[in-house]
Amino acid sequence: MEGRLDGFLARAEQVLERLEPWLPAQPQQIDWQHCLAARWQREGRHGSLRALQVRLDLRLDDLLGVDRQRAQLEANTRQFVAGLPANHALLWGARGTGKSSLVRALLAAYGEAGLRLIEIERDDLADLPQVVAQLAGLPQRFVLFCDDLSFDAGEGDFRVLKSVLDGSLEQAPDNVLLYATSNRRHLVPERQSDNADWQRVDGELHPSEAVEDKIALSDRFGLWLSFYPFSQPEYLAVVQHWIAALAAPCGLRWAWSEELAREAIRWAQGRGNRNGRCAYQFARHWVGRALLDALPR
């Protein structure tokens, strides 16, 4: 009998060794007193918050050309951090204009005041109730951040997000908000066929249910902020800002000139856009090249 029991235990141990790699890792306990950011990671049917090491070197003043958007989102965030009513926010518009950077710069500005940032992927938005449940009752103020939020035609996930915003976040603890970025104002693409069923009633046009359903998702966000491609003067101003910011720690002496401006413009033309990301990339290219040329050969 004892021999059979030993054999059974040995086989059970072998099975557990094979299953262990497939089991979800033990969730780590996050010390929100010192941890400023985390990411929701899904493993199988479950998920957990994983602490992130974040850099806080991006300041709100670094984000040029988006003064109005920066002021509105900062005001909304200040209300939120102060425990006052605030809105979920949708930042939509041209790529590379500072939407994601603006959210991350807010963490650097208000982290000491209790703001915390949690990144969550679009595909994991159905897990929002689980995330919110872990944050309820904590003294910190949490922004759930979903970057590049959009849904392709035919996907039904956007209805899940609608129900989550209405049924979970709207009634969630007041220490939770959702900030999302997107290249689309309406997060679900509208097709010409959606407009085929518009009706005229007493001289007024009424959209079809398909259009109403898709627009309604964006309506769940109380604050809409639109971002547009930079004008050439705005682009060049950002280039100057980042060259100065990158050159100063290295002791690089430089001066703005028409030749440098033309080079920055050609850089943007080669990429087909003028935005903050392009300006930052050119500044890194130019400062790095200038420092390399200054090295002894």
Side-chain angles (χ1 to χ4, degrees):
M1 182 67 179
E2 184 176 349
R4 294 171 57 186
L5 179 59
D6 291 341
F8 171 78
L9 292 176
R11 290 194 297 272
E13 185 174 353
Q14 293 175 357
V15 171
L16 289 175
E17 289 178 352
R18 294 180 180 179
L19 288 177
E20 189 172 4
W22 299 93
L23 296 175
Q26 188 71 19
Q28 63 180 151
Q29 296 296 321
I30 297 180
D31 180 7
W32 290 114
Q33 190 68 26
H34 301 96
C35 178
L36 297 182
R39 177 181 293 119
W40 178 259
Q41 291 188 343
R42 171 172 275 277
E43 298 178 357
R45 297 183 178 181
H46 306 282
S48 62
L49 289 170
R50 300 299 174 89
L52 296 177
Q53 297 293 329
V54 294
R55 297 175 57 183
L56 301 178
D57 52 355
L58 183 64
R59 303 169 302 161
L60 289 169
D61 292 341
D62 290 325
L63 301 172
L64 305 181
V66 290
D67 297 346
R68 176 185 57 83
Q69 299 92 326
R70 180 182 62 194
Q72 291 186 26
L73 190 63
E74 184 180 8
N76 190 69
T77 305
R78 288 176 60 191
Q79 292 170 209
F80 177 55
V81 171
L84 304 174
N87 279 309
H88 308 305
L90 174 63
L91 288 65
W92 72 275
R95 68 187 190 276
T97 48
K99 300 184 295 293
S100 302
S101 297
L102 179 54
V103 177
R104 295 187 173 97
L106 287 169
L107 180 62
Y110 294 98
E112 292 186 0
L115 184 66
R116 300 293 182 265
L117 187 66
I118 295 178
E119 294 184 352
I120 183 167
E121 298 291 335
R122 191 220 73 168
D123 293 339
D124 297 332
L125 286 174
D127 295 339
L128 279 175
Q130 298 181 47
V131 182
V132 170
Q134 297 186 28
L135 306 176
L138 297 177
Q140 293 80 16
R141 316 293 289 180
F142 295 90
V143 166
L144 307 182
F145 177 46
C146 184
D147 198 15
D148 197 20
L149 177 62
S150 64
F151 299 92
D152 294 328
E155 287 187 298
D157 290 349
F158 77 93
R159 292 185 176 85
V160 175
L161 177 57
K162 281 171 56 178
S163 63
V164 167
L165 283 169
D166 277 345
S168 176
L169 283 181
E170 293 290 349
Q171 300 174 8
D174 62 2
N175 68 334
V176 176
L177 276 186
L178 175 64
Y179 284 2
T181 69
S182 177
N183 293 332
R184 300 171 178 170
R185 179 181 180 184
H186 295 152
L187 300 174
V188 185
E190 297 175 51
R191 305 301 183 196
Q192 183 176 355
S193 59
D194 293 337
N195 299 311
D197 297 327
W198 279 58
Q199 298 180 354
R200 183 183 296 272
V201 179
D202 293 333
E204 295 184 354
L205 283 175
H206 293 264
S208 67
E209 291 185 359
V211 173
E212 289 279 14
D213 191 31
K214 293 180 177 182
I215 294 177
L217 176 56
S218 297
D219 284 342
R220 265 59 178 185
F221 295 89
L223 180 61
W224 288 6
L225 297 175
S226 52
F227 292 72
Y228 301 97
F230 289 177
S231 66
Q232 185 162 295
E234 289 174 333
Y235 167 72
L236 292 177
V238 179
V239 169
Q240 293 182 62
H241 170 82
W242 282 117
I243 289 180
L246 294 171
C250 305
L252 176 66
R253 301 179 65 180
W254 68 285
W256 186 252
S257 65
E258 290 187 8
E259 180 182 354
L260 180 52
R262 286 194 295 269
E263 187 177 351
I265 292 170
R266 287 195 297 270
W267 179 277
Q269 290 173 340
R271 284 150 181 77
N273 58 57
R274 287 192 303 255
N275 55 39
R277 180 184 299 138
C278 182
Y280 178 70
Q281 291 169 345
F282 172 76
R284 290 184 61 87
H285 161 76
W286 190 88
V287 171
R289 187 185 63 190
L291 291 171
L292 182 62
D293 291 342
L295 294 176
R297 299 184 180 277

